[in-house]
Amino acid sequence: MTSVLHVTSSVRQNGSASLSGGHAVIERLQTRHETLTVTTRAVSDEATFLTEDWVGASFTPADERTLNQHAMLATSDAMVQELLDADILVISASMYNFGLPAALKAWVDHVARPGVTFRPDPEQTYVGLATGKTAYVVVATGETPVMGDMDFVSPYLVHVLGFLGLTDVHVIAADMTVVDPASLDRRVTAQIDALF
């Protein structure tokens, strides 16, 4: 059985290019794998921002945490476990003002946990622990080309996923939705065809 974690970040449920692109990737994966389970994490509805108390709880050894600290980390722990359990990660990332949606950045903050998804290493600075996965990152933009000078979403996600141990990362551009909406589906399909 192959497990997929689909992290969605658009606040739009209808007409979202990143969400549509992510679904297209998952549909293609379903044709490649006999048994595919998909877990969806809609971060625009579920991610919360870190607080000082959260950081304190995170850096407290698990066996020394209070009940309140365990409760405070419950959502983060669930997000981390989803990532670690997944064979394939699909991120539907919308670009807001040249960067990540705040909720997607919050998800990154929740899953980047020292000693859990990465650890310090004296020879390499850090070593990612969420290894052995393939990631597909669908980036939707209105007027900014993906991987262009003003795209701070794609390079960031590729870097942070690598930091966590995911080095097999494929970026799919669902971009220029305002400039060239008519060709969007064709452009996204062509990229998915090239990957599969």
Side-chain angles (χ1 to χ4, degrees):
M1 182 175 294
T2 303
S3 60
V4 175
L5 172 60
H6 186 196
V7 178
T8 69
S9 64
S10 177
V11 296
R12 297 169 52 196
Q13 296 306 306
N14 298 308
S16 166
S18 66
L19 191 57
S20 176
H23 287 153
V25 170
I26 291 168
E27 286 172 10
R28 189 63 59 89
L29 288 168
Q30 287 170 331
T31 68
R32 299 287 174 144
H33 300 274
E34 288 185 17
T35 55
L36 193 77
T37 62
V38 180
T39 299
T40 300
R41 176 63 71 168
V43 297
S44 60
D45 298 331
E46 302 163 1
T48 57
F49 299 116
L50 307 190
T51 64
E52 183 175 359
D53 288 340
W54 185 98
V55 172
S58 177
F59 281 92
T60 300
D63 59 351
E64 297 177 19
R65 290 176 189 148
T66 66
L67 290 177
N68 187 48
Q69 286 177 319
H70 280 293
M72 192 174 302
L73 294 174
T75 299
S76 177
D77 288 341
M79 290 177 175
V80 167
Q81 200 59 54
E82 288 169 353
L83 175 62
L84 293 176
D85 289 346
D87 300 304
I88 299 169
L89 174 64
V90 178
I91 297 179
S92 292
S94 302
M95 178 186 288
Y96 293 165
N97 301 312
F98 309 108
L100 297 179
L104 184 54
K105 176 58 169 67
W107 177 83
V108 169
D109 292 340
H110 279 285
V111 299
R113 298 266 299 273
V116 183
T117 53
F118 71 92
R119 64 172 173 79
D121 183 272
E123 294 182 13
Q124 302 179 50
T125 309
Y126 293 100
V127 172
L129 303 176
T131 58
K133 306 171 192 310
T134 300
Y136 300 93
V137 179
V138 180
V139 180
T141 73
E143 300 180 52
T144 303
V146 165
M147 298 306 259
D149 291 344
M150 292 186 287
D151 173 12
F152 300 103
V153 174
S154 308
Y156 172 80
L157 287 173
V158 170
H159 178 83
V160 78
L161 292 175
F163 175 78
L164 298 177
L166 289 86
T167 56
D168 184 16
V169 180
H170 307 276
V171 176
I172 298 164
D175 58 356
M176 311 298 281
T177 60
V178 172
V179 176
D180 188 10
S183 72
L184 178 63
D185 289 344
R186 175 178 51 79
R187 289 184 284 117
V188 170
T189 299
Q191 292 171 79
I192 293 172
D193 286 345
L195 290 171
F196 293 96

